[in-house]
Amino acid sequence: MNALDPLLHPIVARCDGTDRLVQADPRFLDLIAQAGGAIGGDVALPEIAALVRLARRLGIAIARAVVVADGDDDLELSVRAEPDADGVTLVVGGWQARPSWRPSAERASFRAVEADWMWESDAALRLTHVTPDAGARYGFDAAAILGQPLVKLFALAEDDDGAFPILGAVAAQMRFDAQEAELRGTGRRVLLAAEPRIDARGRFAGFAGGVMMLDPLPAAAPAPAEDGEPTEPFAAGFGEQLDRSLRRPLERIIANASSMSAGVDGPIAERYSGYADDIASAGRHLLGLVDDLVDLEAVERADFVVDADPLDLADVARRASGLLAVRASEGDVRIDRPAADETLPATGDFRRSLQILVNLIGNAVRYSPRGGSVWVRIMQDDTHACVIVADQGKGIAEADQAMIFEKFGRVDPGEPGGSGLGLYISRRLARAMGGDITVDSAPGAGARFVFTLPLE
């Protein structure tokens, strides 16, 4: 055993402002040397090198579980990258050995099966991967759930025989196709399917699988306008067709461009990294437009309904703020969210409430100046729970305040921003839950949006 036991004392290493390794404790340096690296060179472990670059670029500390090769086996490490003015400090703990794994022969074909998002686990059924945008889309913290047991995310349901298909698959180390579950905290029903991961020694190493969201949206139908006049249905089925046709390709484009920008497969010229950033940004913009069109089609259906369940609106506000923390940091904007001990009981749909607050807080971050703050506050009156989102942006003239809630409504179409559907959809959702969204603003005085829901 080394003089410093990495299981008890985290290893510390240091990279300079050009991401070159300048200091490392012996155990970490040995791992780097196995990968062909040394003091004075690049961090030779791609997963950790990418984390260093990302932390330095965002200017915030980032913690992540990574798996790296160590001889014939893999090592599970917990790595925290902390940037400062002169470089990045690495704190490396965990150091749990496990045999490396190889995918089963059928895994490639499994990924072609229709699934709304993907997940992976280790042999102990701890989650090691979920599709990056799944949390924002379906109402959970994707980053926080990594490393947690699978049942922290999914409440498993018995089948008709009173059994759990996933447990039978673990025992037999085989594929399972029909494990029903509930996505915790959302009330959404899902169907899980997965292939076993088999390590180099032929042993079970976890699952690689997909999630199919159940409770499909009802068939499209014309919807009445808010003034009672009928509206033209929005190209019935068009949004869902776009979603099926474009989501997977766009997600691959975004993932590959982001990997190129971060240099996961090795350093690239700075101008190419900038090109990759632009590609990823454009892909995310298009994916956001697809999401908006799917939601627009849904909210304009005559039979569109939302759940009316008890929820903690303060918790929803904290979750929405957390999902936008990285975007805010990139813009040098501070989000001041409700304290951890604050609660605000309300009645509504958890996922839709989260969607509304992500939109309101995201808009506030987008239009805030660098160094500015976004305040997220909670209050209640006799009948409603309220979340107030206030920013220090340029404000909205009274004459334009009705326009921003209209379909495709943009005060300045030439200004960078979304599709002009976010606030329209958000207000429709809020009113469908018995609440509303209002705005109070003036030019040069920022904007104050108030989202209300009925009290529990």
Side-chain angles (χ1 to χ4, degrees):
M1 180 181 295
N2 291 328
L4 183 64
D5 184 351
L7 293 175
L8 301 177
H9 304 281
I11 300 296
V12 175
R14 177 80 182 163
C15 295
D16 63 16
T18 63
D19 301 333
R20 295 186 179 277
L21 190 67
V22 295
Q23 177 187 343
D25 287 346
R27 180 67 183 91
F28 186 69
L29 187 58
D30 178 62
L31 200 62
I32 292 289
Q34 291 184 51
I39 296 292
D42 295 331
V43 177
L45 300 169
E47 301 89 346
I48 298 179
L51 193 61
V52 169
R53 286 189 286 271
L54 184 61
R56 178 176 55 79
R57 181 160 61 90
L58 297 181
I60 59 174
I62 299 176
R64 189 169 296 170
V66 301
V67 178
V68 299
D70 183 23
D72 293 332
D73 290 334
D74 285 345
L75 277 175
E76 293 183 1
L77 306 176
S78 59
V79 182
R80 180 178 176 85
E82 301 177 352
D84 55 37
D86 300 317
V88 177
T89 297
L90 290 170
V91 180
V92 186
W95 297 81
Q96 297 295 317
R98 73 177 192 187
S100 59
W101 68 276
R102 57 178 173 80
S104 66
E106 297 179 343
R107 186 179 180 204
S109 62
F110 171 77
R111 287 195 175 274
V113 173
E114 282 298 323
D116 293 291
W117 47 287
M118 308 302 293
W119 62 275
E120 293 186 11
S121 79
D122 62 12
L125 297 188
R126 293 185 298 258
L127 289 165
T128 59
H129 169 78
V130 296
T131 299
D133 73 336
R137 290 172 59 197
Y138 299 112
F140 65 91
D141 189 335
I145 202 65
L146 294 181
Q148 298 294 320
L150 182 81
V151 293
K152 282 280 190 179
L153 184 59
F154 303 109
L156 304 178
E158 297 178 350
D159 62 17
D160 294 339
D161 298 323
F164 295 91
I166 188 173
L167 299 184
V170 171
Q173 300 181 14
M174 62 182 291
R175 172 180 177 146
F176 68 90
D177 293 295
Q179 173 65 66
E180 290 197 32
E182 178 184 313
L183 191 59
R184 289 192 184 274
T186 71
R188 299 290 301 276
R189 295 185 306 120
V190 300
L191 196 66
L192 308 180
E195 292 286 346
R197 295 166 50 178
I198 306 301
D199 66 32
R201 299 177 185 178
R203 297 184 297 192
F204 175 68
F207 286 111
V211 180
M212 302 176 72
M213 306 299 294
L214 301 178
D215 307 322
L217 293 172
E226 293 185 5
D227 60 3
E229 293 298 321
T231 61
E232 187 70 21
F234 176 72
F238 177 66
E240 291 185 27
Q241 291 174 25
L242 275 181
D243 190 55
R244 286 193 296 270
S245 301
L246 295 182
R247 179 168 300 281
R248 290 292 182 81
L250 284 172
E251 286 178 343
R252 286 197 295 271
I253 290 169
I254 294 167
N256 290 335
S258 297
S259 296
M260 289 172 60
S261 175
V264 171
D265 296 320
I268 61 174
E270 185 174 349
R271 66 180 184 276
Y272 295 124
S273 178
Y275 297 157
D277 278 335
D278 290 342
I279 292 169
S281 178
R284 282 189 287 268
H285 178 80
L286 289 173
L287 195 56
L289 179 58
V290 170
D291 289 336
D292 286 345
L293 292 175
V294 171
D295 284 333
L296 178 62
E297 184 178 351
V299 301
E300 291 195 331
R301 289 171 174 151
D303 52 359
F304 175 72
V305 294
V306 292
D307 293 335
D309 298 319
L311 57 84
D312 181 357
L313 201 51
D315 176 63
V316 179
R318 284 189 291 269
R319 289 174 184 251
S321 300
L323 291 171
L324 292 160
V326 172
R327 185 193 303 179
S329 177
E330 290 175 338
D332 191 21
V333 175
R334 177 175 172 267
I335 300 178
D336 188 354
R337 59 184 176 177
D341 60 351
E342 290 187 89
T343 61
L344 184 59
T347 300
D349 182 300
F350 174 88
R351 186 175 73 89
R352 294 303 193 178
S353 298
L354 182 68
Q355 178 181 348
I356 290 169
L357 285 172
V358 166
N359 179 260
L360 295 181
I361 299 170
N363 284 346
V365 169
R366 178 184 294 121
Y367 294 112
S368 290
R370 296 191 71 83
S373 294
V374 171
W375 293 275
V376 183
R377 297 287 185 264
I378 60 172
M379 61 175 291
Q380 69 180 66
D381 57 25
D382 292 340
T383 58
H384 285 83
C386 310
V387 177
I388 302 164
V389 179
D391 63 51
Q392 295 175 302
K394 64 182 183 180
I396 306 165
E398 185 175 356
D400 294 325
Q401 289 176 16
M403 179 198 307
I404 63 174
F405 290 104
E406 295 175 359
K407 194 187 304 184
F408 301 108
R410 298 284 303 279
V411 174
D412 182 0
E415 187 176 49
S419 62
L421 290 170
L423 287 174
Y424 173 81
I425 292 170
S426 293
R427 176 177 268 185
R428 295 282 297 235
L429 291 172
R431 291 179 173 177
M433 292 186 285
D436 205 352
I437 299 175
T438 58
V439 63
D440 177 22
S441 182
R448 180 176 178 270
F449 286 83
V450 181
F451 168 41
T452 61
L453 283 179
L455 288 172
E456 183 182 350

